[in-house]
Amino acid sequence: MARPVKLTRNALLTTKLPAWRSRCMMGLMAIAFLALAVRAVWLQTFSNDFLQKQGNSRFVRNLEIPANRGKIVDRTGTMLASSLPAKAVWVDPDDVEASPEQRRQLAKLLGMDPRELNRKLAEDKNYVYLKRQVDANVAAQVQAMRIPGVHLRNEYKRHYPEGETVAHVVGFTNVEDAGQEGFELSQQQRLAGKPGSRRVIKDNLGRIIEQIGSGREPQDGADLSLSIDTRIQFLAHNALRDAVREHKAKAGAAVVIDVHTGEVLALSNWPTYDPNNRLQLTGAQLRNRVLTDTYEPGSTMKPFSIAMAIEQGKVKPTSMIDTSPGKLTIGTATIGDTHAYGLLTVEQVLQKSSNVGTVKMALQLPPQRMWEGFTSLGFGQAPQLGFPGAVAGRVRPHKSWKPIEQATMAYGHGISVSLIQMARAYSVFARDGELIPLTMLRHDAPAEGVPVFKPETAIAVRRMLEMAAGPQGTAPLAQIPGYRVGGKTGTAHKQENGAYQNKYIASFVGLAPISRPRVIVAVMVDEPSAGKYYGGQVAAPVFARITGETLRALRVQPDAPFATLIQPADPVRESL
């Protein structure tokens, strides 16, 4: 039987180590722990801000909570612009883990070029948008792919239910939900509201782990109620579109004003655009011609020149004016009428649209008085509508006028206006001498006008305007069954490169019903080229269509027999 071995007698175990080695090891361990303690104190005391900043940059995010943009509605509450929920697809490029096939599929879903997608995924940022305002079904498909680093964010997409009909009034926003045109631009601060925010901690997969602090709640934008009536806007839009197409014109514009309140009930331009689809938008489509385009108004200016002559006591409505022989020479220039009318009363001068008769009355006025009359009507001054792009037009200082320039301005040449200015100026005849302020926001209270002419002067000219739109005037095609109307045609050569061209602007400005005016309607057709170009042939029928349908929509009581209004086929042509 073997003897047991005593382990305590093993030579390796009984070997004694030097004492200095154990002390040395203990010293090294103490130094290591001291270094760690010093490093911990250093990091937690002196480097805390740096470390906190580095941690925040990797895991803390400020998330913006978008505010709901205010709605835009017409005067009856019909929706013109609203915000619909949408999604934004964004990525943190460093976190994206997608195979080439997933990248191709993602690009296809978002309607992007794969090269553009790869470029965005390679950006040195931690927040990159791939696509904004994505529809809900597309966003759901993106989310179903479950690609690490690809995220969705709530936002809103602007929708315009009335489309191209009110495009120039409402305008549109960009992908940042900021207004770019129309009221979306001019009322940006009011509509936009204020976005909210919250600070959160995310893990490396982009998941929210914790919210830091209470955050800030979004403040939704305020709603906007316009003066526009979508029924009347639709009527004006269709009438203008049909006229431009019929006369093969370059463009057209129309505006409808409520005489009582100064509200713009309709403002239409052609060509127009669909604010919901702006992929092939052009500058011509964007132009709000009612407000931004100026033109020589032609004979639509004559009622003001005649009213000034009556106001100054130079003539009376029944005064006789000799227009023979149908021409008038001033210096080296000659002014002419389309016919030699001979003796005409002041009323007939406007009815027949005689240049010679108008000039003879206007030249009795001092240039300063005539200039003051133009400026008191708002010409040469931008309309205060709170709307972007409204222009002032041009009325030159009276001190530089030559006799021929004063003469031509009397019948609308050598002066430039916008269509909205002309429509507003005619309010002096609709409101018994008062010029009213205009608004494109709903305003139910009566407008407070500024006196420009005496009531008897305005009423006298209003009677002349009815004659001008009658069977013996220049605009019998402006007549409306059941309503007495008044207005004036304009046919003006266009200027290009400082010279008049064989191109025309046909216009008509009128009011109805004459017995108690309710609306002013102004129409302008640019470069009609289908054979007709006179205002009485091109613009007056558009006025009749818009005004008749507007009066019926507003339920205005008829003030004329239906059977007595007969429109002759060949209206009197106004002098150019």
Side-chain angles (χ1 to χ4, degrees):
M1 182 174 182
R3 267 189 330 184
V5 178
K6 293 183 179 180
L7 295 178
T8 55
R9 294 180 180 179
N10 187 295
L12 293 175
L13 295 177
T14 56
T15 301
K16 293 183 178 180
L17 296 174
W20 64 269
R21 290 183 63 178
S22 61
R23 294 191 184 97
C24 183
M25 290 300 298
M26 289 293 294
L28 290 175
M29 291 179 66
I31 291 172
F33 277 111
L34 180 62
L36 289 174
V38 171
R39 180 61 174 167
V41 171
W42 174 264
L43 291 177
Q44 296 182 40
T45 304
F46 300 102
S47 299
N48 183 62
D49 291 342
F50 171 77
L51 294 174
Q52 189 69 38
K53 183 177 179 180
Q54 292 298 311
N56 289 345
S57 67
R58 288 167 172 78
F59 301 106
V60 176
R61 298 286 185 269
N62 288 317
L63 299 182
E64 183 179 282
I65 306 173
N68 194 358
R69 191 175 180 88
K71 298 186 291 292
I72 301 178
V73 299
D74 83 336
R75 63 183 304 101
T76 65
T78 300
M79 190 68 65
L80 302 180
S82 62
S83 296
L84 302 179
K87 297 286 186 180
V89 181
W90 67 276
V91 296
D92 185 340
D94 292 337
D95 295 340
V96 174
E97 298 176 9
S99 65
E101 177 58 31
Q102 286 179 313
R103 294 190 179 207
R104 284 193 295 270
Q105 185 180 354
L106 181 61
K108 184 178 180 180
L109 274 175
L110 299 179
M112 298 176 63
D113 187 302
R115 291 172 295 183
E116 175 68 10
L117 177 66
N118 290 331
R119 185 190 66 77
K120 289 191 173 187
L121 293 179
E123 289 187 21
D124 187 19
K125 299 177 182 179
N126 58 14
Y127 197 102
V128 177
Y129 281 115
L130 295 184
K131 191 70 176 287
R132 304 291 301 276
Q133 298 184 347
V134 175
D135 292 335
N137 60 333
V138 175
Q141 295 179 64
V142 171
Q143 189 172 32
M145 294 180 68
R146 299 185 180 279
I147 301 176
V150 178
H151 311 285
L152 299 177
R153 173 179 176 269
N154 292 328
E155 61 179 8
Y156 294 99
K157 180 179 181 179
R158 209 64 167 161
H159 177 59
Y160 304 95
E162 297 297 319
E164 65 180 17
T165 306
V166 293
H168 291 99
V169 176
V170 177
F172 58 86
T173 61
N174 60 12
V175 292
E176 298 292 343
D177 219 18
Q180 302 297 294
E181 292 286 341
F183 272 111
E184 291 279 32
L185 172 61
S186 66
Q187 299 291 324
Q188 165 65 18
Q189 187 172 2
R190 176 177 177 178
L191 290 167
K194 295 181 180 180
S197 66
R198 60 174 179 156
R199 193 171 175 84
V200 299
I201 297 176
K202 291 189 174 185
D203 64 12
N204 59 350
L205 297 179
R207 296 174 300 191
I208 296 176
I209 303 301
E210 181 183 353
Q211 178 171 328
I212 305 174
S214 59
R216 185 179 70 248
E217 291 297 319
Q219 299 179 17
D220 291 341
D223 295 341
L224 191 65
S225 181
L226 304 186
S227 64
I228 297 296
D229 188 319
T230 51
R231 300 170 302 167
I232 300 172
Q233 180 73 22
F234 180 75
L235 299 172
H237 169 81
N238 288 350
L240 187 65
R241 176 200 62 202
D242 294 346
V244 171
R245 290 175 177 174
E246 177 187 350
H247 296 285
K248 298 180 181 178
K250 178 180 178 182
V255 61
V256 181
I257 294 172
D258 188 319
V259 170
H260 295 167
T261 62
E263 294 171 297
V264 177
L265 300 179
L267 187 155
S268 183
N269 296 275
W270 190 270
T272 184
Y273 63 94
D274 184 355
N276 296 301
N277 182 10
R278 305 187 298 273
L279 294 178
Q280 298 183 1
L281 192 59
T282 65
Q285 292 174 302
L286 277 175
R287 283 170 60 179
N288 191 341
R289 300 169 192 274
V290 173
L291 300 175
T292 64
D293 282 20
T294 59
Y295 65 101
E296 291 191 343
S299 296
T300 55
M301 187 64 71
K302 290 176 181 175
F304 306 115
S305 301
I306 294 173
M308 284 186 271
I310 295 174
E311 189 82 355
Q312 292 297 304
K314 304 299 182 182
V315 295
K316 297 179 180 179
T318 56
S319 299
M320 301 302 296
I321 307 293
D322 187 4
T323 65
S324 299
K327 296 182 183 299
L328 179 64
T329 300
I330 302 175
T332 59
T334 299
I335 294 169
D337 290 335
T338 55
H339 299 86
Y341 294 113
L343 282 174
L344 295 174
T345 64
V346 171
E347 291 178 332
Q348 290 173 324
V349 166
L350 188 60
Q351 181 186 33
K352 304 296 183 183
S353 195
S354 169
N355 289 342
V356 174
T358 304
V359 169
K360 283 190 172 184
M361 286 183 276
L363 290 179
Q364 297 181 53
L365 299 170
Q368 181 176 352
R369 178 64 191 91
M370 193 168 170
W371 178 86
E372 289 173 349
F374 286 153
T375 55
S376 67
L377 291 163
F379 299 126
Q381 306 156 54
Q384 301 301 310
L385 290 169
F387 197 88
V391 296
R394 184 168 182 258
V395 180
R396 293 183 297 105
H398 63 87
K399 292 182 179 180
S400 65
W401 289 6
K402 298 176 182 178
I404 185 61
E405 293 172 330
Q406 181 178 355
T408 57
M409 279 189 279
Y411 60 87
H413 290 267
I415 183 173
S416 66
V417 301
S418 67
L419 193 65
I420 194 78
Q421 285 179 315
M422 287 302 298
R424 181 195 179 208
Y426 267 67
S427 69
V428 297
F429 305 127
R431 287 281 296 257
D432 295 347
E434 289 185 345
L435 182 72
I436 61 173
L438 301 186
T439 180
M440 295 185 70
L441 300 178
R442 183 173 177 178
H443 177 74
D444 295 325
E448 296 185 7
V450 177
V452 175
F453 297 127
K454 297 174 184 177
E456 53 268 28
T457 300
I459 293 171
V461 176
R462 189 161 76 221
R463 188 182 307 113
M464 299 179 202
L465 292 173
E466 184 177 15
M467 294 171 62
Q472 303 304 315
T474 59
L477 296 178
Q479 296 176 21
I480 303 170
Y483 295 98
R484 294 167 55 198
V485 304
K488 189 68 191 74
T489 56
T491 308
H493 285 282
K494 290 187 68 174
Q495 272 196 10
E496 291 182 0
N497 301 320
Y500 287 104
Q501 306 296 322
N502 194 30
K503 300 176 182 178
Y504 301 90
I505 289 181
S507 62
F508 187 90
V509 186
L511 47 145
I514 285 295
S515 59
R516 190 179 180 186
R518 175 64 192 276
V519 296
I520 297 169
V521 178
V523 178
M524 181 268 288
V525 180
D526 188 8
E527 293 187 26
S529 59
K532 298 178 181 179
Y533 56 85
Y534 282 101
Q537 299 171 318
V538 176
V542 185
F543 163 86
R545 178 175 169 183
I546 295 174
T547 306
E549 293 176 338
T550 296
L551 293 175
R552 287 187 284 272
L554 295 176
R555 298 182 180 179
V556 176
Q557 187 73 22
D559 65 344
F562 285 82
T564 59
L565 294 175
I566 302 173
Q567 301 173 355
D570 187 19
V572 177
R573 295 177 179 178
E574 74 264 19
S575 301
L576 296 179

